[in-house]
Amino acid sequence: MDYQIYFIPTPIGNLEDMTIRAINTLKEVDIIACEDTRESRKLLDYFDIKKELTSYHKFNELAKSEEIIENCKNGMTYGIITDQGMPGISDPGHILIKKCQEFGIRYTILPGASSILTALVGSGIENNSFIYYGFIPKKQGDKEKLYQELKEQTRTSILFDTPHNIGKTIEDFKKIFPERKLCIARELTKKFEEYYIEEISKINIDELTLKGEFVLVLSGGEEIKNQSIEDFEGEIKAYIKQGLRTKEITKIIKNKSSFNKNEIYEYVLTLSK
């Protein structure tokens, strides 16, 4: 074989999306490293691939990468796969690629199915420039940091979400950027594939089937050029006249701008005097 390690994408749903090259390569390597041996065995059995499997997931990625490198030095060849999609994108593989570069191990990446690009194209949302963020964080602090970046992001954003979290995500999005468009792609390439595309303020969570993994494609916000906090003077004075508290006004302006919360708060106080 021409390389020592082959990073091989697997179908994101429909098994027939497996490429001929991917099937042949898996048949030729010495051993296949995968996330879940039970899931991968189903794939291999479907294509009559009889190869040894070794577990390679996020909890043993570092140690297993070192083991794979050592075995490659001794002449073994590996196929690296994940449960679905491309290795190294929100799945094990990235660390191993860096180690291949460090130790001079020859590797190659096979092209194949990608839920990120499939959802992006299917959404119909602007795709000349886009950014991928991975899964929405579980920790509140990390989530708020992401939301702040999304609020200021002018490019199309792509994210992953889970059935038990998608409802809360939509609620958050409605508060932060209700005017933007969101595509919720579910069960891509499978029998019940679904694209739900709507302005965020109009999304009805009850219309969604909360099963499978979700790929979210969020339209970018309008670019703010040379914005000054003084641009909000009239609006802030109106809120003050209505009797809103300083903290309430600060929150409103914060959701409309990229200014620091403390900066807004101090400006509101100044106008309140």
Side-chain angles (χ1 to χ4, degrees), residues 24 35 61 77 84 92 102 106 118 121 134 141-144 154 161 166-167 176 181 211 214 226 255 263:
N24 289 337
E35 279 188 282
E61 187 174 8
T77 58
Q84 294 179 339
E102 179 181 354
R106 291 178 293 112
T118 302
V121 174
D142 294 336
K143 186 179 292 187
E144 290 177 357
T154 58
D161 208 354
I166 185 73
I176 304 169
K181 183 177 288 186
K211 293 181 180 179
F214 295 87
N226 301 319
N255 286 335
E263 181 182 3

Side-chain angles (χ1 to χ4, degrees), residues 134-144 146-147 150 159-174 182 184 186 203 205 208-216:
F135 279 95
I136 293 178
K138 295 180 180 179
K139 293 182 179 179
Q140 189 60 32
D142 294 336
K143 186 179 292 187
E144 290 177 357
L146 169 64
Y147 286 170
L150 290 175
L159 310 101
F160 288 155
D161 208 354
T162 58
H164 69 272
N165 191 61
I166 185 73
K168 182 63 171 63
T169 298
I170 300 304
E171 289 179 11
D172 292 339
F173 282 8
K174 285 185 176 182
L182 181 69
I184 304 172
R186 187 183 74 86
I203 293 177
I205 192 66
L208 299 177
T209 302
L210 303 183
K211 293 181 180 179
E213 286 192 354
F214 295 87
V215 184
L216 309 182

Side-chain angles (χ1 to χ4, degrees), residues 9-14 17-19 84-86 110-118 189:
T10 53
I12 58 176
N14 193 321
D17 290 335
M18 194 77 166
T19 69
Q84 294 179 339
M86 177 68 74
L110 274 62
S114 166
S115 61
I116 297 170
L117 295 180
T118 302
T189 76

Side-chain angles (χ1 to χ4, degrees), residues 8-11 14-16 18 23 26 37-49 81-83:
I8 305 169
T10 53
N14 193 321
L15 293 180
E16 293 184 4
M18 194 77 166
I23 295 170
L26 288 174
T37 55
R38 293 166 299 182
E39 287 299 313
S40 294
R41 181 54 64 190
K42 296 176 186 177
L43 176 69
L44 299 189
D45 287 346
Y46 186 86
F47 292 106
D48 194 29
I49 300 171
I81 63 175
T82 64
D83 290 345

